[in-house]
Amino acid sequence: MKVKVDPDECTGCALCVDICPEVFEMLDDLAVAKQDEVLSGTEESCMQAVEDCPVEAIRIDG
Ligand code: SF4
């Protein structure tokens, strides 16, 4: 499973970092995925962040 934050959509609210700090971090006021591949064991909280992102800026692949 791969994950990406769309920088054009992200508002920098940091909610995804609160929900899943294993996968997301803030960089220059926007969230980014620390790595493309979601590590096993973090998929569930990652999906929670995808669902809770207020602007649906997080994309999942595969
Ligand atoms: S929850 Fe969505 S809008 Fe908020 S920082 Fe994360 S990706 Fe950006």
Side-chain angles (χ1 to χ4, degrees):
M1 184 169 110
K2 290 182 191 294
V3 66
K4 224 179 180 125
V5 175
D6 183 341
D8 295 328
E9 299 286 339
C10 177
T11 62
C13 73
L15 185 64
C16 56
V17 180
D18 282 346
I19 295 171
C20 187
E22 296 86 355
V23 172
F24 302 100
E25 65 184 352
M26 298 305 290
L27 190 71
D28 296 335
D29 294 333
L30 292 179
V32 294
K34 291 181 177 178
Q35 61 272 314
D36 286 349
E37 196 71 35
V38 178
L39 302 178
S40 67
T42 63
E43 286 106 336
E44 205 169 308
S45 59
C46 181
M47 290 310 294
Q48 190 65 51
V50 171
E51 277 176 34
D52 288 358
C53 173
V55 294
E56 297 180 3
I58 308 170
R59 311 258 178 265
I60 290 288
D61 251 341

